[in-house]
């Protein structure tokens, strides 16, 4: 295992002591090895703010008549695809499939950019949908405070990545907190409007203190976000 990178692809004996070669093939691990890990940089949202956002989301879903059952939050037939709330984050740069041999230098970039930054406050307020509430592909909460600081950290990452051979990110940086994907869901516009109405009085402020390189794991349900490398802002 390379230093600083938490390996998610392991072959360990099972609870009955079976050897790795006796285990069924791990198709997800094979896919990741062939295509590279789907990685991105982000600022994670702390647990107390996650709880506030979860309460907002559950209120929107309950108003819409969508069942919310236990921690799994079962999705209704007409519901949009809500993200895992335990992995909420503000994305700064998405790289996509990346070979394992590039991960150490990305980890070094995390530490360098974090050391050159300082903790700052972020306030979530307002909601919307991309590209529009009438034809939404994603539902999100807005960032009302901390946009300048988030943009500065994103710019620092962009410079570090260009130095490592990645192209610069030409897209305008628009910090937001993605809550749901709604491609092709008939209820998407209705839920977008309900979320926007519910968020009119919503505000949650938190302290951004960490920069993280995440891996996105797909398959078997909603994507999971596993931290590979993280560093505190300000060192």
């Amino acid at each position: 295992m390379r230093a600083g990178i938490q390996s998610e692809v392991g072959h360990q004996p099972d609870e009955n002591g079976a050897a790795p070669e006796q285990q069924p093939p791990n198709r997800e691990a094979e896919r990741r090895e062939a295509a590279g890990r789907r990685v991105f940089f982000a600022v994670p949202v702390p647990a107390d703010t996650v709880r506030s956002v979860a309460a907002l989301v559950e209120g929107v879903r309950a108003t819409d008549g969508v069942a919310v059952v236990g921690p799994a939050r079962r999705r209704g037939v007409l519901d949009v695809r809500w993200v895992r709330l335990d992995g909420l984050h503000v994305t700064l740069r998405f790289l996509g499939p990346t070979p394992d041999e590039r991960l150490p230098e990305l980890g070094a970039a995390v530490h360098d950019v974090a050391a050159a930054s300082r903790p700052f406050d972020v306030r979530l307020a307002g909601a919307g949908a991309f590209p529009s509430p009438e034809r939404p592909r994603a539902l999100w909460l807005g960032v009302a405070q901390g946009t300048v600081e988030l943009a500065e950290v994103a710019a620092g990452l962009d410079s570090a990545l260009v130095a490592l051979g990645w192209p610069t990110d030409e897209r305008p940086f628009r910090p937001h907190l993605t809550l749901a994907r709604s491609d092709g869901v008939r209820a998407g516009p209705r839920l977008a409007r309900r979320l926007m109405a519910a968020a009119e009085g919503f505000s949650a402020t938190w302290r951004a203190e960490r920069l993280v390189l995440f891996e996105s794991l797909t398959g078997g349900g909603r994507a999971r976000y596993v931290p590979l490398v993280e560093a505190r802002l300000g060192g």
Side-chain angles (χ1 to χ4, degrees), residues 109-118 211 231-235:
V110 167
H111 287 282
D112 291 344
V113 174
S117 307
R118 292 290 180 271
L211 175 61
R232 291 186 63 84
L233 300 182

XYZ file of all heavy atoms in Angstrom, residues 109-118 211 231-235:
109
model
N -0.652 17.138 -3.605
C -1.328 18.390 -3.961
C -2.340 18.788 -2.889
O -2.489 19.974 -2.570
C -2.018 18.243 -5.315
N -3.047 17.802 -2.330
C -3.993 18.085 -1.252
C -3.282 18.779 -0.096
O -3.741 19.812 0.425
C -4.672 16.783 -0.758
C -5.413 17.021 0.549
C -5.622 16.250 -1.812
N -2.159 18.234 0.328
C -1.432 18.806 1.455
C -0.869 20.187 1.122
O -0.915 21.109 1.955
C -0.312 17.856 1.881
C -0.811 16.633 2.594
N -1.200 16.656 3.914
C -1.014 15.361 2.157
C -1.605 15.449 4.276
N -1.499 14.648 3.226
N -0.339 20.356 -0.080
C 0.245 21.647 -0.459
C -0.814 22.747 -0.525
O -0.609 23.857 -0.007
C 0.950 21.534 -1.814
C 2.204 20.680 -1.757
O 2.694 20.435 -0.635
O 2.685 20.240 -2.824
N -1.942 22.446 -1.169
C -2.997 23.451 -1.310
C -3.634 23.745 0.042
O -3.927 24.908 0.365
C -4.059 22.984 -2.331
C -5.241 23.949 -2.368
C -3.429 22.854 -3.719
N -3.852 22.721 0.861
C -4.435 22.937 2.191
C -3.521 23.802 3.048
O -3.989 24.693 3.778
C -4.698 21.600 2.872
N -2.209 23.559 2.972
C -1.263 24.326 3.783
C -1.255 25.797 3.393
O -0.990 26.668 4.230
C 0.139 23.739 3.641
N -1.566 26.085 2.131
C -1.565 27.471 1.649
C -2.900 28.168 1.885
O -3.059 29.347 1.542
C -1.224 27.497 0.160
N -3.870 27.470 2.457
C -5.198 28.024 2.703
C -5.428 28.186 4.196
O -4.600 27.796 5.010
C -6.273 27.107 2.094
O -6.011 26.830 0.735
N -6.550 28.771 4.555
C -6.927 28.949 5.954
C -8.381 28.525 6.139
O -9.182 28.620 5.205
C -6.759 30.417 6.380
C -5.313 30.881 6.435
C -4.574 30.224 7.596
N -3.187 30.653 7.686
C -2.172 30.074 7.080
N -2.396 29.012 6.300
N -0.944 30.509 7.220
N -9.530 19.722 3.456
C -9.552 19.469 2.020
C -9.324 17.978 1.836
O -8.415 17.411 2.448
C -8.456 20.270 1.313
C -8.287 20.027 -0.189
C -9.558 20.379 -0.948
C -7.099 20.831 -0.717
N -6.343 16.761 4.428
C -5.414 17.637 5.134
C -6.192 18.818 5.703
O -7.188 19.272 5.124
C -4.324 18.139 4.188
N -5.745 19.303 6.841
C -6.384 20.451 7.466
C -5.948 21.732 6.768
O -4.774 21.898 6.410
C -6.017 20.539 8.947
C -6.615 19.416 9.790
C -6.339 19.629 11.269
N -6.978 20.842 11.747
C -8.247 20.911 12.143
N -9.025 19.858 12.079
N -8.749 22.043 12.585
N -6.888 22.612 6.545
C -6.558 23.915 5.977
C -5.677 24.687 6.944
O -5.948 24.731 8.148
C -7.833 24.701 5.687
C -8.822 24.070 4.698
C -10.029 24.988 4.477
C -8.161 23.732 3.381
N -4.624 25.263 6.437
C -3.684 25.979 7.288
C -2.583 25.097 7.840
O -1.719 25.561 8.589
N -2.612 23.802 7.499
C -1.556 22.890 7.927
C -1.744 22.375 9.345
O -2.681 22.682 10.033
